[in-house]
Amino acid sequence: MKCPYCAYLESKVVDSRPADEGASIRRRRECLSCHKRFTTYEMMESLPLVVVKKDGSRQSFDRNKVMSGLIRACEKRPVSVNTLEELVTEIEQVLQNEMEREVSSAMIGELVMERLKKVDEVAYVRFASVYRQFKDINTFMQELNKLLEDRR
Ligand SMILES: [Zn+2]
């Protein structure tokens, strides 16, 4: 389990308890290098998830990929790595609960956007603009307007 602060690979578990009605285990860990604490959620049993991309190619689900997309979108925004970790874990759980071995990259994108919208609107618009590949300013404005309408 990599430390989110210094990326050191070893940590000790300081607390462990079931979460999500036993579907996962919540662990408090302490990094053996910088001694900061962080939380991880580990699945009790997880199916290998396969992501089907737009062009039909398949690759295994990689939470680090989702994470790096989120970190990019949240650059210079007041969003903690922990919040993002939790968001990705939640998405992973949603996908696991679907009990489908294959999920589309589009579905993952929608799940991310749905949640990111509540976390940080600027990050959401950034993520959406990369994800939906806004071709022009009009589609971008449409998305912004939708966001503003939702708020009312
Ligand atoms: Zn550390």
Side-chain angles (χ1 to χ4, degrees):
M1 224 31 94
K2 208 186 201 173
C3 170
Y5 303 99
C6 71
Y8 192 70
L9 285 171
E10 282 175 61
S11 59
K12 67 174 181 193
V13 176
V14 289
D15 185 30
S16 193
R17 64 185 62 176
D20 270 290
E21 290 158 356
S24 60
I25 304 176
R26 178 184 182 277
R27 292 205 163 108
R28 282 298 284 169
R29 291 171 176 273
E30 190 181 294
C31 174
L32 293 184
S33 171
C34 71
H35 303 290
K36 282 188 180 148
R37 291 189 173 185
F38 56 98
T39 305
T40 58
Y41 289 88
E42 289 154 50
M43 296 292 161
M44 296 290 272
E45 48 176 295
S46 48
L47 290 169
L49 276 173
V50 175
V51 180
V52 185
K53 304 214 298 183
K54 246 189 236 161
D55 63 4
S57 65
R58 285 158 166 79
Q59 52 184 219
S60 54
F61 178 78
D62 181 358
R63 63 174 286 145
N64 292 329
K65 258 193 196 159
V66 182
M67 209 42 208
S68 60
L70 280 171
I71 288 170
R72 227 175 295 133
C74 292
E75 207 181 0
K76 294 188 181 141
R77 298 298 304 161
V79 184
S80 74
V81 173
N82 259 352
T83 304
L84 296 180
E85 284 282 355
E86 276 163 28
L87 196 150
V88 176
T89 301
E90 201 186 311
I91 288 166
E92 214 172 356
Q93 276 168 1
V94 170
L95 296 174
Q96 290 287 353
N97 291 343
E98 294 282 314
M99 299 304 280
E100 296 278 351
R101 273 170 186 255
E102 293 193 336
V103 290
S104 66
S105 55
M107 181 185 173
I108 296 174
E110 294 298 330
L111 289 172
V112 170
M113 285 190 280
E114 211 174 89
R115 284 161 181 77
L116 196 55
K117 199 191 273 186
K118 291 175 202 145
V119 173
D120 188 281
E121 290 180 345
V122 172
Y124 162 75
V125 173
R126 280 188 197 151
F127 186 91
S129 70
V130 174
Y131 178 74
R132 294 216 171 113
Q133 294 169 321
F134 294 137
K135 283 177 197 75
D136 52 57
I137 192 73
N138 287 333
T139 37
F140 185 71
M141 288 309 289
Q142 273 169 19
E143 197 60 37
L144 270 182
N145 285 333
K146 248 196 273 167
L147 188 68
L148 295 172
E149 270 167 37
D150 285 351
R151 262 209 262 174
R152 263 177 232 137

